[in-house]
Amino acid sequence: MESFSDQQSREEIISSANRARWELGVNFHDTVIESIYEDASRIARKTVVVEGGREAYSTDIAIDKIVTSRWLGFPIMFLLLALVFWLTVAGANYPSGLLANLLIDKFLPVLHSLGDWLHMPSWLTGVLFDGAYLALAWVVAVMLPPMAIFFPMFTLLEDLGYLPRVAFNMDSLFRRAGAHGKQALTMSMGFGCNAAGVVAARVIDSPRERLIAIITNNFSLCNGRWPTQILIATIFIGSMVPAAWAGLVSAGAVVTIAVTGIVFSLVVSWGLSKTVLKGEASAFSLELPPYRPPRLMQTLYTSLIDRTIFVLWRAMVFAMPAGVVIWLVANIHVGDQSIAEHFIHWANPFALFFGLNGVILLAYIIAIPANEIVIPTILMLTVLSANIVRAGAGTGVMFELDSLEDTAGILRQGGWTLLTGVNLMLFSLLHNPCSTTIYTIYKETGSMKWTMLATFLPIVMGLIICFFTTQIWHLYHI
Amino acid sequence: MSQNIKHDCENCPVHNKANLVRLGINPENVDFIIALAGNPNTGKSTVFNNFTGLKQHTGNWPGKTVSRAEGGYIFNDKKYKVVDLPGTYSLLSTSTDEEVARNFILFGQPDVTVIVTDATRLERNLNLALQILEITDRAVLCLNLMDEARRNNIKIDIRALSRELGIPVIPASARSREGMDELLLAIEEVASGKYVCRPHKIKSKSAGLNHAISEISGQLMAHFPGLPNATWVAMRLLEGDSSIIEAIRSGHLGSLSPDREVTQPV
């Protein structure tokens, strides 16, 4: 039990502190800080010696002058990004084909004969093997090789200390957009994972600027979307130029999409800070860490474990139920058509208006839990709706795809054009965040209103952008 | 026969790689609680991972630890819980990350606070170290990134630094595990009371301020007997820190201080 006098004496402590504060005057806080700084500098003078004439970190400073310079900063940034993508595009094709061959051509028949041997009913082998297993195999074959190349390179750049320089370059742009300079950091985190970027927005103190950072984080292409971009760019854009240039051109296309995302991030931040989240940008200081030689082996290990395996695991966890859903919507018939065909035919006119198609819309609905499974879902649904059926297999089964050329063939047979590819890349950048990110936004903001805005704003923008792209396209091509 | 001959190294307490058992996440019934504090991007998370065997994502990136991470290890049969705090430049302002760090050191009352500093930017790092020494008496300074300091021809007089600060100073470069055993040992010595810290305290030149601080800390001690850092609380109270005022008004401050069970969740 607490007595009244306890409470009273506590109030007395507070009020005597208040009195003393008035007596001491306003410079009290400064006095304390001054004496701390004085002591720190005295101790440092006594204990630290810099030997030799060369200033410490003179190399770092020289490098920073170049990579954060007004004229070279951005070009260097884009070149580095392009290099990373080019290596990814160039390196991923062969292992992808190998994995597809192994997991789909070789292992799926083994599973089917196992099912026959166990006298499993056909709906069960369908759901298990042609649904869940195939989706899983597809995620591994399509996603693993680019991730295993892209993530270690990205981690090396991060370990080296380059990402804070990116933030430094971007800082003034964000401030001019009325956002916090630290948003450049949360944006860069978003290139890894949007949910992580949303959580990282905690480093921003002002609630207004934090909300802007959270809402616009989705415009950073995340891990789950890079492979979609790389694959579609390779199939539709790289194939337009001679083979020698294909890798470079596809990498350039992916960089263009990533940069478009940054532009959207800035424009939306500016729009928000001029309308619903009005206010001035607050100042902050960003310390550029020294460059550190990356530890190669450790980086390879952590990026494989932390990112590749993590993202792959997430994709697999979401892919299996999605595979089941895909098989079911493809095999449950209402009237003379399956549910999937009903939806695709119903959505097609609307989707084509935006330069997309019914398959893409259905894939984005099935793939809300994880962006990682969009491409496998699209491929499975395309195979089904275009009635490209492998001999002896039922509907909803994946075609055998040993290489990117086969994937491209399937998409073209499904009625895809260069325009569909470009629009898919744009829509992959501009659509709702994955369910994990949506949940994280809700947890971080505690507000349904802002969560809804962050969810629907990108979809609306994506549809508008795809619509205009399509109209302009038709204007010049027909 | 040869097993009877003990190598000198094995008798040295530093030879104890085998004495470290990493517990990963969620240690229970711990003997000591260790906090890792320091400026952003000084390698706190790398030290944390070294101790606990966890794989907290590390990066050359200031401010990547936003909330605190926890893990555990056993060293020389004692169980430790490690709390990785967000990196901050000071404990005096009111941003979320600074509050997480400050409240933990102040109210969580870790048995040892390990101040991880960047050897190449010692002066700036000392500003925070001195502020931490204002709130806690038991601390170890980990002088991290010594490899970089060497590369940049920076020499630091470890013994003089330790004398000035009144706490153990361990040179390290956590990335390559250099100095980690010595750090574990220093933590053990401070936690067990074998090493008694005499931390540097800031002396203000203002007589009026010193008078007010001693008066208010006296009142605080009378009301909250056993309050471990009354001087610092008095200073914050004088500055009008609203979270401290609230803790006093509700009596919350008192319930946090005396005879805390180490097994209690903090």
Side-chain angles (χ1 to χ4, degrees), chain A residues 9-11 16 21 28-29 36 38-40 46-47 49 51 57 158 163 287 289-290 292-293, chain B residues 41 60-61 89 124 127 148 152-153 155 157 164 175 200 202 205 209 219 223 237-239 248-249:
Chain A
S9 71
R10 289 202 299 267
E11 286 300 329
S16 70
R21 190 179 315 128
F28 162 71
H29 183 80
I36 291 173
E38 249 170 52
D39 280 18
K46 262 194 194 172
T47 53
V49 188
E51 286 179 343
Y57 289 109
E158 184 185 346
L163 289 196
E287 183 178 8
R292 288 171 188 157
Chain B
N41 204 32
N60 191 358
W61 179 271
Y89 292 105
R124 189 178 343 144
N127 289 324
E148 264 172 45
N152 287 281
N153 303 315
K155 290 261 152 59
D157 186 342
E164 287 288 334
R175 268 160 56 109
H200 174 99
I202 297 156
K205 291 186 191 86
L209 176 59
Q219 282 178 330
H223 193 87
L237 196 54
L238 278 170
E239 281 201 44
I248 291 171
R249 183 163 283 151

Side-chain angles (χ1 to χ4, degrees), chain A residues 426-470:
Chain A
L426 287 168
F427 195 66
S428 156
L429 173 71
L430 301 166
H431 72 94
N432 56 287
C434 71
S435 55
T436 313
T437 306
I438 297 176
Y439 177 63
T440 311
I441 294 173
Y442 179 69
K443 265 200 314 191
E444 291 294 308
T445 60
S447 144
M448 212 39 156
K449 185 179 93 180
W450 295 117
T451 311
M452 286 297 124
L453 180 70
T455 307
F456 288 104
L457 184 72
I459 304 184
V460 172
M461 295 182 65
L463 289 178
I464 293 173
I465 295 297
C466 288
F467 172 76
F468 278 110
T469 312
T470 311

Side-chain angles (χ1 to χ4, degrees), chain B residues 70-145:
Chain B
E70 299 183 1
Y73 68 92
I74 298 177
F75 182 73
N76 285 341
D77 303 325
K78 288 276 189 267
K79 228 171 181 180
Y80 294 79
K81 174 163 141 183
V82 198
V83 180
D84 187 15
L85 298 173
T88 59
Y89 292 105
S90 86
L91 297 177
L92 297 170
S93 79
T94 48
S95 71
T96 326
D97 38 356
E98 290 196 13
E99 227 162 287
V100 170
R102 191 186 70 192
N103 286 351
F104 188 79
I105 301 172
L106 192 59
F107 300 136
Q109 285 183 42
D111 294 285
V112 182
T113 302
V114 179
I115 310 167
V116 183
T117 54
D118 179 346
T120 64
R121 291 156 155 79
L122 189 61
E123 180 174 340
R124 189 178 343 144
N125 280 244
L126 281 177
N127 289 324
L128 177 71
L130 292 177
Q131 290 174 40
I132 291 173
L133 292 183
E134 286 297 303
I135 349 178
T136 177
D137 282 344
R138 289 192 287 184
V140 173
L141 190 97
C142 169
L143 200 54
N144 198 19
L145 304 170

Side-chain angles (χ1 to χ4, degrees), chain A residues 45-89:
Chain A
R45 268 202 312 275
K46 262 194 194 172
T47 53
V48 182
V49 188
V50 182
E51 286 179 343
R54 213 167 63 104
E55 190 191 350
Y57 289 109
S58 48
T59 337
D60 280 35
I61 293 168
I63 297 173
D64 273 341
K65 273 197 179 137
I66 300 168
V67 299
T68 63
S69 85
R70 187 184 293 248
W71 304 112
L72 289 171
F74 281 95
I76 289 175
M77 212 163 87
F78 299 143
L79 276 178
L80 269 175
L81 263 181
L83 177 75
V84 167
F85 292 128
W86 177 70
L87 289 171
T88 308
V89 170

